[in-house]
């Protein structure tokens, strides 16, 4: 993912029409919208007004963004595009021992259509080729957990609201069907 529009080595993602570009500060409003979409079901259960929800989501997005920038300083911050439309975000940190998916999120209209699975399979292939495991923190109620499990991820640590899920290189190479 070195170039701003390409998917070099990412054949499955490219096959679904995905491209990537480096995040810029101009993308923050879009990225905040992606974040808000991941919290919509949860906030629907509250009695908060729309103004309260927006304020909460803005505060939470800014806190998350600052946390990610501080603790994953070497991560690659990508906007996921399809047909030149921004559809999600992928933040990944590649270390000597693993590929840590800091965040992967798609707008609701792009979920469940194979894009995320294609992208994850390509990430798993890349890591397996380097002999590295892939890790991700996943909320316990996140529907994407089923996809991660199908791809060979297992829970390796309970971290309260989140579970640390990992996929070792041998599982990764076996879970990446075409």
């Amino acid at each position: 993912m070195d170039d701003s529009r390409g998917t070099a080595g990412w054949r499955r993602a490219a096959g679904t029409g995905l491209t990537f570009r480096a995040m810029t500060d101009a993308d923050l409003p879009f990225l905040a919208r992606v974040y808000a979409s991941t919290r919509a079901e949860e906030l629907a259960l509250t009695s908060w007004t729309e103004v309260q929800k927006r304020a909460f989501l803005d505060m939470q997005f800014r806190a998350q963004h600052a946390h990610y920038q501080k603790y994953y300083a070497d991560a690659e911050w990508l906007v996921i595009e399809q047909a030149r439309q921004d559809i999600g975000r992928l933040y990944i940190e590649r270390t000597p021992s693993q590929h840590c998916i800091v965040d992967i999120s798609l707008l609701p209209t792009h979920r469940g259509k194979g894009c995320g699975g294609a992208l994850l399979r390509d990430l798993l292939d890349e890591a397996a080729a380097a002999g590295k495991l892939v890790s991700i923190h996943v909320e316990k109620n996140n529907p994407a957990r089923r996809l991660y499990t199908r791809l060979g991820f297992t829970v390796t640590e309970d971290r309260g609201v989140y579970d640390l899920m990992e996929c070792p290189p041998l599982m990764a190479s076996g879970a990446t069907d075409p």
Side-chain angles (χ1 to χ4, degrees):
M1 291 203 200
D2 312 290
D3 65 307
S4 62
R5 290 266 177 215
T7 53
W10 295 59
R11 67 179 176 85
R12 291 178 190 89
T16 63
L18 296 183
T19 55
F20 309 89
R21 63 178 175 76
M23 175 197 83
T24 68
D25 286 344
D27 293 309
L28 291 176
F30 167 73
L31 297 171
R33 189 166 56 104
V34 172
Y35 172 78
S37 77
T38 68
R39 305 288 302 268
E41 285 183 34
E42 171 189 0
L43 290 181
L45 302 175
T46 71
S47 60
W48 294 353
T49 66
E50 289 305 313
V51 171
Q52 290 170 318
K53 289 177 186 179
R54 278 193 302 273
F56 173 78
L57 289 168
D58 182 55
M59 177 190 65
Q60 290 291 295
F61 172 74
R62 284 186 281 116
Q64 182 192 66
H65 186 73
H67 174 83
Y68 285 169
Q69 296 284 309
K70 180 178 180 178
Y71 291 99
Y72 300 97
D74 295 327
E76 190 171 9
W77 312 98
L78 301 170
V79 174
I80 304 169
E81 299 179 317
Q82 190 176 50
R84 298 215 182 265
Q85 296 295 312
D86 297 343
I87 68 163
R89 66 184 189 176
L90 171 65
Y91 304 159
I92 183 160
E93 185 172 66
R94 294 170 178 92
T95 69
S97 63
Q98 68 176 304
H99 287 182
C100 174
I101 301 171
V102 177
D103 192 278
I104 180 171
S105 303
L106 299 172
L107 289 172
T109 56
H110 297 278
R111 296 177 193 152
K113 297 183 178 180
C115 294
L119 178 54
L120 286 166
R121 284 180 175 90
D122 286 342
L123 285 169
L124 290 168
D125 280 352
E126 178 190 299
K132 298 178 184 180
L133 68 85
V134 178
S135 68
I136 187 168
H137 286 91
V138 183
E139 286 183 342
K140 293 181 186 301
N141 63 349
N142 185 334
R145 289 174 69 96
R146 291 185 301 273
L147 173 61
Y148 301 134
T149 300
R150 278 197 316 269
L151 294 176
F153 285 84
T154 58
V155 174
T156 58
E157 189 176 333
D158 182 326
R159 295 198 175 166
V161 174
Y162 296 93
D163 285 329
L164 175 62
M165 296 184 80
E166 296 180 337
C167 187
L170 293 176
M171 286 299 300
S173 64
T176 57
D177 36 276

